[in-house]
Amino acid sequence: MGAPDKPVAGHEEFDYIVVGAGSAGCLLANRLSADPNNRVLLLEAGGRDDWRWIHIPVGYLFCIGNQRTDWCYTTEPDPGLNGRSLGYPRGRVLGGSSAINGMIYMRGQAADYDGWAAEGNPGWSWADVLPLFKRVEDHHAGNSEFHGAGGEWRVEKQRLSWEILDAFRDAAAQAGIPSIEDFNRGDNEGCAYFEVNQRRGVRWTAAKAFLHPVAHRRNLKIITRAHAQRIEFEGRRAVGVHFLQDGVQTYAGARAEIVLAAGAIGSPQLLQLSGVGPGRYLSSLGIPVVLDLPGVGNNLQDHLQLRLVYKLRNARTLNTMASSLWGKAMMGLEYYLRKRGPLTMAPSQLGIFARSSPEHERANVEYHVQPLSLERFGEDLHDFPAMTASVCNLRPTSRGHVRIRSPHASDAPEILCNYLSTPEDRRVAADSIRLTRQIISQPAMARFHPEEYRPGPQVQEQADLESAAGDIGTTIFHPVGTCKMGKDAAAVVDSRLRVHGLQGLRVADASIMPTITSGNTNSPTIMIAEKAAEMILHDQKLGLHSVSCDNSATV
């Protein structure tokens, strides 16, 4: 893979520096280095993606919460979660979160992107972004009106089945939620099995798709274990990045642009460390303010999943299969010989997009249904047969923030999600529990005698349902929005992803989403990077290097 651990010699100059080799950064490095005249540096704070559990799909169980592959953040105690803090996984390895996530291929709804465009972001409507999704895609069914073939981002069907999930799908249909075949045509309402980013039973990451095939390029330098400390500015122009590699302070210059692709936590953190963000707050930490840009780190949105657990009878679940050495051995053998079976499992296999109550114009909740149960991720499975029906509010109105605690990049930032902080979000949470009970009570599930274990059938009143949501709610790992795209005072980047008021600096990752997409966020992040690369290269031809409008004042 080229020479990923070779240090930058002296104050080396590049045309483009990409910070973060996650889902967005891997694609950006690929596209920007396609022109041999562009010299590109890709910085990744984590290590190489050569650990076996990254590639075995069920290995997310070992990657999440492991400092080898995860930043292992923790959220602030959240009033909406009854004072609980959550582990907050973010990928820390080549491939970023695509190396540790649930592998679900999901674009969201057409109305999400049309909403972005309607808010003053031209070029981001569904009609604009669908060709980008198709361009990078290699769909198992081939080229069609809604899917692409021959791209780098592999999409396949799952390689296992569960009787209990088939029954839950039938129950959803009996409850009025139709079975469909494809969640990715713009309207994802219905029930289907998720398609996944795998190739023949092996996890397919952004590093495999976009980075490794081009790592040999002489004009692309990849440096791992390189933690960006701050961006260097000359006036309002970003000119370089200071980073720490294996304890050594190093600097690299950028002749054209610096592109932040460090994600919804890392990108606002680096901007704030560099003096770009809420000016008064940064000054209180002793950080010289380059630009007072209040929106940096605000507008944090995430999908909170409510994990309803049901004990079962007469059901084959992963709980029972994994409870014995024999069961584990058979699962391992099936994977070794055929690349099939439970070791190919995404964390969730069956999906439902539905309306939590009739007044919603389109599907506003998503289910991730699993033939397993546990108290929390990282702990053992329960010792009884069970399933989990996780349901999340797709378009939460609650907003949180990401805020540095000190001038030191090594200090994890403060992450406050403010889950369930609005009446609307609490109402959707209660309605979601009721909808789940409606599905589970259908005739198709009767032969399994489902018994509600979490939150429990005694929870019935509205106030109790809202409180229970705080008890059983947890992140589904979709933070976005902290470097919001737009024209308003809270925006950080414009519609071409240039940081307002600065030159030579863009953000191109999930942090730029004005509002969260209605579904899993990894593939939309890859689409954002594809569009960003297209815009950067277009501006390069015109001789423009990220010259943004002035949305703020220098302090």
Side-chain angles (χ1 to χ4, degrees):
M1 192 188 66
D5 297 322
K6 184 178 179 181
V8 170
H11 287 187
E12 203 167 349
E13 291 285 322
F14 298 83
D15 295 295
Y16 296 99
I17 298 176
V18 179
V19 180
S23 297
C26 288
L27 185 147
L28 286 160
N30 177 306
R31 302 297 193 251
L32 297 179
S33 66
D35 181 345
N37 294 315
N38 288 336
R39 194 151 185 259
V40 179
L41 172 64
L42 177 64
L43 298 175
E44 168 54 42
R48 301 178 68 169
D49 58 335
D50 53 3
W51 191 35
R52 64 178 179 178
W53 285 115
I54 292 172
H55 309 291
I56 300 172
V58 80
Y60 71 89
L61 292 170
F62 305 102
C63 292
I64 290 176
N66 186 328
Q67 292 187 354
R68 179 172 183 167
T69 49
D70 181 3
W71 282 98
C72 298
Y73 294 126
T74 301
T75 66
E76 295 298 296
D78 201 313
L81 301 184
N82 301 324
R84 291 187 299 128
S85 297
L86 300 177
Y88 216 60
R90 295 285 86 200
R92 188 182 189 180
V93 66
L94 286 178
S97 292
S98 75
I100 68 172
N101 71 358
M103 297 163 282
I104 292 171
Y105 180 70
M106 189 65 60
R107 297 170 176 171
Q109 298 170 357
D112 299 333
Y113 303 99
D114 290 342
W116 292 4
E119 292 176 11
N121 298 298
W124 290 93
S125 71
W126 175 249
D128 294 316
V129 303
L130 179 58
L132 302 174
F133 278 115
K134 293 176 64 178
R135 182 191 302 169
V136 301
E137 188 180 25
D138 185 23
H139 194 268
H140 64 88
N143 193 51
S144 67
E145 178 184 1
F146 291 102
H147 290 289
E152 299 97 334
W153 196 228
R154 181 64 180 169
V155 181
E156 295 187 349
K157 290 186 174 182
Q158 297 181 65
R159 299 165 70 88
L160 75 169
S161 62
W162 298 86
E163 183 185 19
I164 185 62
L165 298 187
D166 292 339
F168 197 88
R169 190 181 190 188
D170 292 341
Q174 291 169 348
I177 304 168
S179 293
I180 61 173
E181 293 302 318
D182 188 352
F183 283 134
N184 288 297
R185 296 181 178 180
D187 177 7
N188 51 20
E189 188 165 2
C191 183
Y193 283 92
F194 291 121
E195 293 181 327
V196 291
N197 294 119
Q198 295 182 9
R199 185 179 290 280
R200 295 186 293 276
V202 177
R203 177 190 286 273
W204 194 243
T205 71
K208 291 180 182 178
F210 303 107
L211 190 60
H212 294 328
V214 303
H216 63 279
R217 290 176 178 167
R218 296 173 62 86
N219 63 323
L220 173 61
K221 178 168 284 190
I222 305 162
I223 308 181
T224 56
R225 303 194 304 278
H227 191 183
Q229 306 292 291
R230 65 181 176 89
I231 301 162
E232 180 74 19
F233 289 93
E234 291 181 357
R236 288 195 170 197
R237 181 168 192 84
V239 296
V241 177
H242 297 268
F243 60 96
L244 191 67
Q245 186 190 15
D246 293 333
V248 178
Q249 289 284 352
T250 312
Y251 174 82
R255 289 184 286 263
E257 295 190 29
I258 297 166
V259 188
L260 303 189
I265 309 302
S267 287
Q269 178 188 23
L270 184 57
L271 285 172
Q272 292 176 12
L273 289 168
S274 306
V276 180
R280 183 174 297 177
Y281 180 72
L282 298 182
S283 294
S284 73
L285 296 177
I287 296 174
V289 177
V290 173
L291 188 69
D292 182 6
L293 202 54
V296 174
N298 289 331
N299 194 48
L300 174 62
Q301 301 158 59
D302 189 15
H303 290 143
L304 178 74
Q305 62 172 338
L306 309 182
R307 302 183 67 252
L308 282 80
V309 175
Y310 290 88
K311 290 185 174 181
L312 304 170
R313 284 185 272 165
N314 310 318
R316 171 179 167 265
T317 74
L318 192 63
N319 289 20
T320 50
M321 293 180 67
S323 63
S324 68
L325 289 176
W326 174 252
K328 293 176 182 176
M330 292 305 295
M331 288 190 290
L333 185 63
E334 184 177 15
Y335 185 78
Y336 178 76
L337 295 176
R338 304 175 61 219
K339 292 295 186 291
R340 292 187 177 275
L343 267 66
T344 69
M345 282 177 59
S348 303
Q349 296 78 55
L350 182 70
I352 300 175
F353 288 82
R355 308 178 198 208
S356 60
S357 56
E359 72 269 15
H360 294 279
E361 295 182 357
R362 54 191 169 111
N364 71 306
V365 295
E366 177 185 8
Y367 281 85
H368 294 76
V369 190
Q370 308 146 350
L372 56 86
S373 68
L374 67 171
E375 289 300 314
R376 58 185 61 85
F377 290 107
E379 296 190 2
D380 291 338
L381 299 174
H382 289 137
D383 60 1
F384 48 79
M387 65 174 292
T388 302
S390 291
V391 57
C392 68
N393 180 356
L394 289 170
R395 292 182 294 280
T397 54
S398 299
R399 297 291 184 269
H401 66 250
V402 173
R403 189 175 295 157
I404 58 173
R405 303 174 190 269
S406 78
H408 308 297
S410 58
D411 292 340
E414 174 186 292
I415 304 170
L416 179 62
C417 296
N418 281 326
Y419 295 119
L420 301 173
S421 60
T422 66
E424 168 66 12
D425 287 358
R426 293 192 293 273
R427 181 165 56 251
V428 170
D431 289 343
S432 297
I433 295 173
R434 295 188 184 101
L435 177 60
T436 309
R437 290 170 172 173
Q438 182 183 348
I439 296 170
I440 211 80
S441 67
Q442 298 301 314
M445 290 294 295
R447 69 184 185 275
F448 299 108
H449 305 280
E451 175 189 345
E452 187 172 309
Y453 178 70
R454 293 280 188 273
Q458 75 282 358
V459 180
Q460 293 292 334
E461 299 301 322
Q462 180 72 19
D464 294 335
L465 289 168
E466 292 179 4
S467 178
D471 290 332
I472 64 174
T474 188
T475 178
I476 205 163
F477 321 134
H478 297 165
V480 308
T482 50
C483 295
K484 172 186 173 180
M485 173 174 61
K487 295 181 177 180
D488 60 283
V492 175
V493 300
D494 65 14
S495 62
R496 298 186 70 79
L497 308 188
R498 302 169 298 195
V499 177
H500 285 302
L502 298 173
Q503 296 180 356
L505 184 61
R506 297 192 208 226
V507 183
D509 55 33
S511 70
I512 67 93
M513 294 186 187
T515 50
I516 195 167
T517 52
S518 299
N520 310 73
T521 53
N522 190 62
S523 289
T525 300
I526 286 173
M527 178 278 293
I528 289 167
E530 179 74 356
K531 187 168 181 66
E534 187 178 74
M535 294 187 294
I536 291 167
L537 294 173
H538 177 268
D539 288 353
Q540 182 187 48
K541 288 181 180 180
L542 298 179
L544 304 172
H545 294 306
S546 184
V547 180
S548 178
C549 59
D550 186 354
N551 200 47
S552 295
T554 301
V555 173

